Amino acid sequence: MDAEKREILQRRISRVRKAARKSGIELFLVSGEENKRYLSMFSSTSFDLVIGQERSWLLTDFRYLEAASETEPLFEVVEVTGEYGLKDFLKEKRPASLGIERAVLTVREFDSIRKILPECEFIAADGIAEKIRAVKDTQELEKIRHAAGIADRAFSWILGEIRPGVSEKQIAWLLERKMREEGASALSFDTICASGVRSSMPHAHPTEALIQNGDFVTMDFGCVFEGYCSDMTRTVAVGSVSEEQREIYRIVLEAQKHACEKIRAGMTGREADVAARDIISRAGYGKYFGHSLGHGVGLEIHEAPAASPRSSEILEKNMTVTIEPGIYLPKKFGVRIEDLSVVGDTGIINLVNSEKELIIL
Ligand SMILES: [Mn+2]
């Protein structure tokens, strides 16, 4: 592991230690896949991380020992065998308190740990790693920017493929293929492509429905690059648009742009949400914007912070947040426009560069 990576990991681990100390956690059993990856830069289908105040351990089996040794000396690598596993390790360490991630640790795993540590106090460690992960470092932002760039290129390419007679599924597949060709290792989630009346369903799965003249087509998609996700949405029209379609698009775009101008570090997630929601509500469509404005994006497609009407989280510099207002008119059509941004002290940096004025193909 090079010095730069080690320094990044050291910083992350010491932040976790500080938070664990505050919560009275002696050993922190990290269970969340993305949390484990974030704290060790190691990934395999089977390993455990245990973080203590002085020492930390990475437990894995023979298949991954060599790769895991990269994490030394930050982690002491412990070999798991048929006879020796996580429970034996914890039994040896006998912590007075163990931090657990309740959202991920299964009831079965918890039961078996509780049995071997009858004196141990179990402390909820939910959110410790997630909170640290919310603020991105330069390397992470570069990966997210790259993933967003791939999606941008796929969008400008797909515009040439959208025409009457092409199915939603076909569009979704072409977007996926293009992103993979451009270097994505995976999709960050199943691509959404909804045309015509189906665009009124915010998260419609693509069907065999064929695109027709007069349709809005909403595409919500993103990819993974070096472990980091991107997320964007555009709604385009095919052939022609009605006055109502044009008006709804105009309102969503105004709300989206306004939020892009307003969002900055120090705001709450609620204030960010309101920046867009006010414009949609004042236009009389508040009840047709039934989801929150946005969410953080990183190792996971949905992570902290939440930009929602109920979020008191403070947006901090170098957090990412999506800005994705929408209006959905049941049985008619829907519009959503989504950018992915990095929060700064005086405003955002938009990682999505695709056109967002109404495109009529
Ligand atoms: Mn999103």
Side-chain angles (χ1 to χ4, degrees):
M1 181 173 294
D2 60 47
E4 191 187 13
K5 272 189 178 176
R6 190 177 321 148
E7 202 179 297
I8 292 169
L9 284 181
Q10 236 148 11
R11 199 162 50 226
R12 293 176 184 176
I13 294 165
S14 68
R15 283 182 186 147
V16 164
R17 282 181 171 146
K18 194 174 164 199
R21 210 159 43 234
K22 262 191 181 164
S23 304
I25 292 168
E26 183 184 329
L27 291 186
F28 177 17
L29 172 62
V30 187
S31 303
E33 285 302 320
E34 289 79 10
N35 292 345
K36 289 194 289 183
R37 204 152 27 111
Y38 181 75
L39 293 170
S40 66
M41 290 190 191
F42 176 72
S43 77
S44 93
T45 49
S46 124
F47 77 108
D48 288 296
L49 276 194
V50 178
I51 296 185
Q53 286 300 327
E54 307 292 334
R55 301 162 66 188
S56 297
W57 300 267
L58 190 158
L59 293 79
T60 192
D61 65 68
F62 176 79
R63 295 170 295 169
Y64 306 108
L65 280 184
E66 187 181 344
S69 68
E70 269 273 293
T71 67
E72 289 169 335
L74 294 172
F75 289 91
E76 298 171 36
V77 176
V78 177
E79 182 176 4
V80 170
T81 63
E83 283 81 51
Y84 186 88
L86 175 66
K87 274 167 279 189
D88 306 285
F89 172 85
L90 290 173
K91 198 171 175 180
E92 272 172 28
K93 296 289 174 234
R94 293 212 166 281
S97 62
L98 184 73
I100 52 165
E101 298 184 313
R102 297 173 305 171
V104 214
L105 193 69
T106 66
V107 175
R108 182 166 63 188
E109 287 162 339
F110 178 60
D111 275 347
S112 65
I113 292 171
R114 200 163 46 172
K115 247 177 232 155
I116 51 142
L117 296 175
E119 311 287 311
C120 180
E121 181 191 357
F122 294 95
I123 298 175
D126 303 274
I128 285 186
E130 285 84 349
K131 205 165 172 216
I132 296 163
R133 272 173 45 200
V135 178
K136 272 68 180 173
D137 57 43
T138 318
Q139 289 78 2
E140 292 181 291
L141 290 176
E142 271 320 300
K143 289 171 184 172
I144 297 167
R145 181 194 296 276
H146 194 99
I150 291 172
D152 264 338
R153 291 197 290 282
F155 176 71
S156 71
W157 177 81
I158 201 73
L159 293 177
E161 303 297 321
I162 300 174
R163 63 180 76 90
V166 180
S167 74
E168 295 170 352
K169 269 187 169 169
Q170 186 70 6
I171 296 295
W173 162 242
L174 291 174
L175 275 171
E176 173 170 359
R177 200 185 70 189
K178 184 66 176 171
M179 289 192 285
R180 293 297 298 263
E181 282 171 359
E182 292 281 332
S185 57
L187 298 180
S188 38
F189 55 92
D190 287 342
T191 296
I192 291 164
C193 175
S195 65
V197 287
R198 295 170 39 73
S199 62
S200 70
M201 294 182 278
H203 273 188
H205 292 290
T207 68
E208 301 291 354
L210 303 179
I211 287 163
Q212 297 173 25
N213 264 324
D215 277 358
F216 265 153
V217 180
T218 297
M219 292 159 284
D220 186 346
F221 58 102
C223 67
V224 180
F225 178 74
E226 292 185 1
Y228 284 81
C229 297
S230 70
D231 193 3
M232 68 174 279
T233 305
R234 287 293 183 270
T235 300
V236 300
V238 179
S240 59
V241 285
S242 66
E243 272 316 300
E244 190 181 30
Q245 280 174 302
R246 198 179 282 280
E247 175 63 3
I248 297 296
Y249 193 95
R250 191 193 62 72
I251 298 164
V252 174
L253 182 60
E254 189 191 333
Q256 206 274 346
K257 283 181 171 171
H258 187 71
C260 287
E261 278 163 25
K262 286 282 170 200
I263 294 175
R264 64 201 62 215
M267 261 186 173
T268 63
R270 197 190 74 84
E271 286 165 339
D273 180 274
V274 163
R277 194 169 302 277
D278 264 0
I279 288 174
I280 292 177
S281 298
R282 264 189 273 127
Y285 292 97
K287 71 169 178 157
Y288 300 106
F289 175 24
H291 57 75
S292 57
L293 179 69
H295 53 89
V297 172
L299 289 168
E300 282 179 280
I301 182 63
H302 291 126
E303 54 180 54
S308 79
R310 294 158 304 282
S311 172
S312 56
E313 284 170 85
I314 305 282
L315 301 183
E316 291 175 43
K317 188 177 177 205
N318 292 338
M319 283 184 172
T320 56
V321 69
T322 63
I323 302 170
E324 49 177 312
I327 295 178
Y328 311 91
L329 304 179
K331 307 263 189 300
K332 284 184 170 176
F333 60 84
V335 173
R336 178 168 65 260
I337 302 167
E338 173 182 28
D339 287 335
L340 171 56
S341 75
V342 182
V343 178
D345 287 328
T346 55
I348 59 150
I349 299 165
N350 200 334
L351 301 183
V352 176
N353 291 302
S354 293
E355 178 64 70
K356 52 189 176 187
E357 299 298 324
L358 178 58
I359 295 172
I360 304 175
L361 297 168

